[in-house]
Amino acid sequence: MKMGEHIQLQRVIGYFHGTIFLFSIIIGAGIFIAPKGVLKYSLLNVGVSLSIWTACALVSVVAALSHAELGTTFPRSGAQYYFLKRSFGPFIAFFYLWIHLFSTPAGIAARVLLLAGYITQPFYPGCFVPEVPKKCLALAILLCLGILNARGVKEVTWFQTVSTVVKITVLCFISLTGIVLLVRGKKENLARFEKAFDAEVPDASQIAEAFLQGLYSYSGWGVLVRIAGELKNPGENIPKCVITALTLVALIYLLVNISYLAVLTPKEIMSSDAVAVTWIDRIIPSMQWAISIGVSSSIVSSLNCTLFSASRIYFVASQEGQLPLILSTLNIHSCPVVAVIQILIFASILIIPSDLITLINYVGFTDWILLGLMMTGLIKLRFQEPNLSRPYKVHLPFVFGTLAMSLFLVLTPIIKSPKMHHIYVIVFVLSGLLFYFPFVHFNLGSTYFNKITCFLQLLLNVSPADDVEYISPEGVLQKIPPETATKKE
């Protein structure tokens, strides 16, 4: 890196690309492969299933709009982490960080293995794909995504736009085909909808499980709050992007599910490992390649978006002193490349013994626990700091509604049908204490980390950001030089 060269995160993502990022991370492979979790817990009741998909869309919009206030009030990268630290102190913020240090790489590893298996399956017709070539391809995909992210935000947004257009095109084809089949009015296409609510009605715990399945398909709407430090005018663009993206995603999800049900019976959907493939086999068998492209582009764009946004959490945690300083350094393309490398290393380790990917199941439901904490903190700050600058202010009933839904989704399964993995999650979260007190609270090993930082800075050609953003007590975004920030830590 040349002397005197200015480097910092660039605010280059506007309304259009912000919406594209939301599309990228929300629409994953699930809607193509296995949108049957909601149907399963709805007891194959078509009417209840479609109602839950609609309700999940409304809950997601309310939760996302409530969550958006964090990114508009604290418009910096990793705003969720910073918000928790400001609301509840460094202890709670570290637990948020601790969960993401492992759940994010585990989720990436699970999805990249799914993608690698999907790509290699045609080369092994009629049998299982060997683990070695699948894992080698998965590692190669991670390497390519790492290189793309290291090239900076402009290259990432270009890639996300192309991949999102591809998968939206495939989903629109499925949706429109379903509408055409229903308009034609053939009995076999309309049969599932004539007596939609005649099947058995699920109980409260089953509805909660169905909601969790549906809401998982909408997960990722918090990505813009993670990357608020690279958004143009976040106070205006975050709420606009959320409303636009989630409205369109909800419409697409509902139409795609209706299209599946217009062709397949609920039992056929439940017995299928890849619903979209089964659906296309019934309609146009020669178009299977289109589904393959849709699945692949969905997984790749979602992976890329997750890698991009997660690295910003580690970036801000490093600036706040809870991770080594090297993670808040940037390369010449204004990318926190060391944070990207750390995520890829963790994900690669989890790929090799793929049975460890089950970790993602143990920590997945903690997202709703963390969201409940954020809503509690939002209410707390409303009363503690009423004069805090808030460019966008969500209505409190939305916040209370999101908090109530969070409690319902977390507590209902535990009370109605407690499972062993709930204990595993508690043990995993509490294990963070073994790292928090020695390395964060007492700052042990700082001399050792400083030596590593100097070595890696020279090796990777990275440097701290020229201006470190922070939020003043009045809620105003300000900047301090990196030397002052380093002394502060």
Side-chain angles (χ1 to χ4, degrees):
M1 192 170 292
K2 297 177 182 178
M3 291 292 293
E5 196 167 12
H6 294 287
I7 183 168
Q8 59 188 25
L9 292 178
Q10 305 293 323
R11 290 189 181 273
V12 297
I13 301 175
Y15 167 73
F16 175 75
H17 285 116
T19 306
I20 289 294
F21 266 87
L22 281 169
F23 275 128
S24 298
I25 198 166
I26 293 173
I27 302 177
I31 194 65
F32 293 99
I33 296 175
K36 56 188 182 183
V38 175
L39 195 59
K40 173 186 174 182
Y41 289 106
S42 300
L43 303 181
L44 305 188
N45 189 314
V46 172
V48 172
S49 173
L50 294 177
S51 300
I52 287 175
W53 276 105
T54 305
C56 285
L58 295 174
V59 169
S60 297
V61 170
V62 170
L65 288 174
S66 303
H67 189 254
E69 186 175 320
L70 310 186
T72 58
T73 306
F74 307 106
R76 60 178 297 180
S77 296
Q80 295 106 319
Y81 164 85
Y82 180 84
F83 171 79
L84 285 174
K85 187 176 181 184
R86 179 154 176 166
S87 300
F88 298 108
F91 190 64
I92 298 297
F94 180 79
F95 279 122
Y96 172 83
L97 179 64
W98 177 251
I99 290 169
H100 277 279
L101 276 171
F102 294 95
S103 63
T104 299
I108 289 174
R111 280 178 286 168
V112 78
L113 276 172
L114 175 65
L115 175 60
Y118 198 82
I119 293 172
T120 53
Q121 184 62 61
F123 298 98
Y124 299 90
C127 59
F128 290 107
V129 178
E131 288 294 310
V132 173
K134 184 170 75 172
K135 290 179 180 180
C136 287
L137 179 59
L139 293 172
I141 293 170
L142 286 182
L143 177 62
C144 292
L145 290 177
I147 293 171
L148 175 64
N149 273 265
R151 295 293 301 169
V153 63
K154 290 184 179 179
E155 279 73 11
V156 170
T157 53
W158 173 84
F159 179 83
Q160 293 301 99
T161 302
V162 173
S163 58
T164 300
V165 167
V166 171
K167 66 181 176 184
I168 291 296
T169 302
V170 176
L171 285 171
C172 286
F173 167 74
I174 295 174
S175 302
L176 291 173
T177 304
I179 292 172
V180 170
L181 291 172
L182 291 176
V183 169
R184 286 169 60 187
K186 287 189 177 181
K187 186 176 181 181
E188 62 267 23
N189 299 133
L190 295 172
R192 265 75 70 187
F193 303 100
E194 290 174 348
K195 298 179 180 179
F197 290 93
D198 281 0
E200 186 181 353
V201 177
D203 60 25
S205 63
Q206 289 167 326
I207 289 175
E209 292 287 356
F211 260 99
L212 284 172
Q213 294 287 327
L215 290 169
Y216 179 77
S217 298
Y218 288 97
S219 62
W221 40 254
V223 65
L224 295 186
V225 177
R226 288 187 183 183
I227 61 173
E230 289 161 280
L231 288 176
K232 299 175 184 176
N233 192 8
E236 179 181 338
N237 281 329
I238 291 179
K240 283 171 60 179
C241 291
V242 164
I243 292 171
T244 302
L246 280 175
T247 301
L248 292 176
V249 169
L251 180 61
I252 289 170
Y253 277 6
L254 196 59
L255 290 176
V256 168
N257 275 281
I258 290 173
S259 182
Y260 290 153
L261 287 164
V263 176
L264 306 170
T265 67
K267 289 183 179 179
E268 286 174 331
I269 292 175
M270 291 303 301
S271 62
S272 173
D273 291 327
V275 178
V277 174
T278 307
W279 179 89
I280 202 73
D281 277 340
R282 292 283 183 87
I283 303 298
I284 315 171
S286 60
M287 289 285 289
Q288 278 197 13
W289 57 270
I291 302 299
S292 299
I293 291 174
V295 172
S296 300
S297 62
S298 294
I299 300 175
V300 169
S301 62
S302 179
L303 278 170
N304 192 49
C305 196
T306 301
L307 181 60
F308 178 84
S309 61
S311 63
R312 273 56 184 175
I313 295 176
Y314 303 160
F315 174 82
V316 73
S318 172
Q319 288 184 336
E320 294 293 320
Q322 291 200 342
L323 285 177
L325 180 63
I326 188 64
L327 292 172
S328 60
T329 56
L330 303 173
N331 67 2
I332 195 172
H333 301 292
S334 299
C335 168
V337 68
V338 183
V340 171
I341 291 172
Q342 177 193 317
I343 296 170
L344 293 179
I345 290 173
F346 280 18
S348 300
I349 292 171
L350 290 172
I351 281 173
I352 297 168
S354 54
D355 58 310
L356 290 180
I357 303 303
T358 52
L359 175 66
I360 191 62
N361 295 326
Y362 298 148
V363 298
F365 87 105
T366 56
D367 285 345
W368 282 94
I369 297 176
L370 292 172
L371 182 62
L373 269 176
M374 289 177 196
M375 294 302 101
T376 305
L378 202 61
I379 297 167
K380 180 172 176 279
L381 280 186
R382 283 285 185 93
F383 292 99
Q384 279 190 346
E385 302 182 43
N387 298 321
L388 190 67
S389 175
R390 293 178 174 90
Y392 161 78
K393 197 171 182 179
V394 70
H395 296 295
L396 277 179
F398 280 24
V399 180
F400 284 112
T402 305
L403 180 59
M405 179 57 67
S406 174
L407 291 172
F408 172 73
L409 293 174
V410 171
L411 296 179
T412 302
I414 294 176
I415 295 170
K416 290 280 187 177
S417 54
K419 294 183 175 63
M420 199 63 194
H421 72 254
H422 296 134
I423 297 174
Y424 294 154
V425 172
I426 295 171
V427 172
F428 168 72
V429 171
L430 293 179
S431 67
L433 294 171
L434 300 175
F435 291 85
Y436 175 78
F437 283 106
F439 297 113
V440 178
H441 187 73
F442 296 109
N443 200 25
L444 299 178
S446 58
T447 305
Y448 177 70
F449 285 128
N450 288 339
K451 291 180 180 178
I452 295 177
T453 298
C454 293
F455 172 75
L456 289 178
Q457 274 192 258
L458 295 172
L459 178 67
L460 299 172
N461 194 26
V462 294
S463 67
D466 287 327
D467 294 305
V468 178
E469 292 183 339
Y470 79 104
I471 313 293
S472 69
E474 294 77 26
V476 180
L477 185 69
Q478 298 183 1
K479 295 184 177 181
I480 53 177
E483 312 86 52
T484 310
T486 306
K487 290 176 184 175
K488 181 183 174 183
E489 291 169 1

